[in-house]
Amino acid sequence: MPATSTPGSAGKEALTRDASRLALAAHPQRLADAFDRRLSVAVVSRLQGCPRLHERIATLLLHQRGADSSGSIADNAPAERRETFERLFQVDLKEASHLAGAAWHAHSLRQIIHGRDVADLIARIGRRAHAFGLRRGGVAPAMRSPASDALAEQIERDGHACLGVWFSSFPSSMRQQLYLRLPPDTAAETPDLSDAQQKLALGLIDPVLSELDESMNAFE
């Protein structure tokens, strides 16, 4: 007779899957900080790749952020929020932040017109983010005579701030897991945006995720 899962075993399996996913998706610096900064990158990578350590790693990571490591990542979240969380968790957050930041600074982006400056900016934020920003209306006022490197820094900073606003819209258990996918000390941790700007940042989450969904579907 085939074995049947009980509610308790099903819950345990879900927690194990959540732990494994978090352990594998965590930013290397988060892992190094949770383990021991004296460990080499190679050792941290081997620990991360060991399935039997995933639950312990997830607990360490969440404890590092002062989060409750018990329960499912989807606890107490409406279905719509769970769906958005899943989409956001699976994308490249660095690329997502570049897309958001480019859209935020679309007015300044349009001022970078010289070939070398455009190439330098694309090298920093990526061709997709550059094209995406040019299609958006923009939020921040245009910088006066922006240099490509200064604009790239603003895009990276404000893109991370947008991520922080998005993360804050999720329950704590989800929010903490998203933070752990980013390096420490980015603007996502303390987004310095007004209430009005936060609303505008939240308005970018669907366009950004739709852009990333399109790029992923193109390879299916």
Side-chain angles (χ1 to χ4, degrees), residues 127-150:
R127 190 172 301 278
R128 179 179 288 118
H130 181 260
F132 181 77
L134 291 177
R135 299 196 303 269
R136 304 298 302 180
V139 175
M143 299 167 62
R144 180 175 296 179
S145 302
S148 59
D149 57 346

Side-chain angles (χ1 to χ4, degrees), residues 111-123 127 130 148:
Q111 295 188 64
I112 306 294
I113 58 176
H114 298 295
R116 180 61 184 176
D117 292 336
V118 172
D120 289 344
L121 184 59
I122 288 174
R127 190 172 301 278
H130 181 260
S148 59

Side-chain angles (χ1 to χ4, degrees), residues 23 27 30 37 48 66 87 98 123 151 163 167 189 203 216:
H27 190 275
R30 301 283 192 181
R37 294 185 180 183
Q48 184 182 24
R87 292 172 70 195
H98 284 166
L151 178 56
L163 290 187
F167 294 176
E189 301 277 357
M216 289 189 292

Side-chain angles (χ1 to χ4, degrees), residues 10-206:
K12 174 65 174 176
E13 289 173 2
L15 288 174
T16 300
R17 287 194 302 271
D18 291 346
S20 292
R21 185 167 74 161
L22 177 59
L24 292 171
H27 190 275
Q29 187 58 54
R30 301 283 192 181
L31 289 164
D33 290 346
F35 293 142
D36 187 326
R37 294 185 180 183
R38 294 169 296 181
L39 295 178
S40 68
V41 174
V43 170
V44 170
S45 180
R46 285 202 299 273
L47 293 171
Q48 184 182 24
C50 182
R52 65 184 178 82
L53 295 178
H54 285 169
E55 289 190 52
R56 184 176 180 185
I57 290 172
T59 299
L60 284 172
L61 288 167
L62 292 169
H63 178 73
Q64 182 187 39
R65 288 196 56 83
D68 181 5
S69 60
S70 63
S72 169
I73 60 171
D75 282 349
N76 303 318
E80 181 182 355
R81 287 283 80 194
R82 291 200 301 270
E83 181 182 355
T84 304
F85 168 80
E86 289 296 332
R87 292 172 70 195
L88 190 55
F89 191 90
Q90 293 174 33
V91 301
D92 181 336
L93 289 182
K94 181 177 181 180
E95 185 170 28
S97 71
H98 284 166
L99 289 167
W104 195 265
H105 288 284
H107 295 306
S108 297
L109 201 65
R110 295 189 182 96
Q111 295 188 64
I112 306 294
I113 58 176
H114 298 295
R116 180 61 184 176
D117 292 336
V118 172
D120 289 344
L121 184 59
I122 288 174
R124 286 280 297 272
I125 68 172
R127 190 172 301 278
R128 179 179 288 118
H130 181 260
F132 181 77
L134 291 177
R135 299 196 303 269
R136 304 298 302 180
V139 175
M143 299 167 62
R144 180 175 296 179
S145 302
S148 59
D149 57 346
L151 178 56
E153 289 178 5
Q154 291 289 325
I155 286 172
E156 291 171 350
R157 186 198 67 188
D158 291 327
H160 275 118
C162 286
L163 290 187
V165 174
W166 301 352
F167 294 176
S168 68
S169 69
F170 294 100
S172 177
S173 56
M174 292 180 174
R175 183 166 64 247
Q176 300 304 333
Q177 295 209 33
L178 290 167
Y179 279 127
L180 289 168
R181 294 194 58 217
L182 293 174
D185 302 323
T186 70
E189 301 277 357
T190 53
D192 186 18
L193 300 177
S194 67
D195 290 344
Q197 288 174 323
Q198 290 184 37
K199 291 180 180 178
L200 292 170
L202 285 172
L204 288 174
I205 185 170
D206 282 335

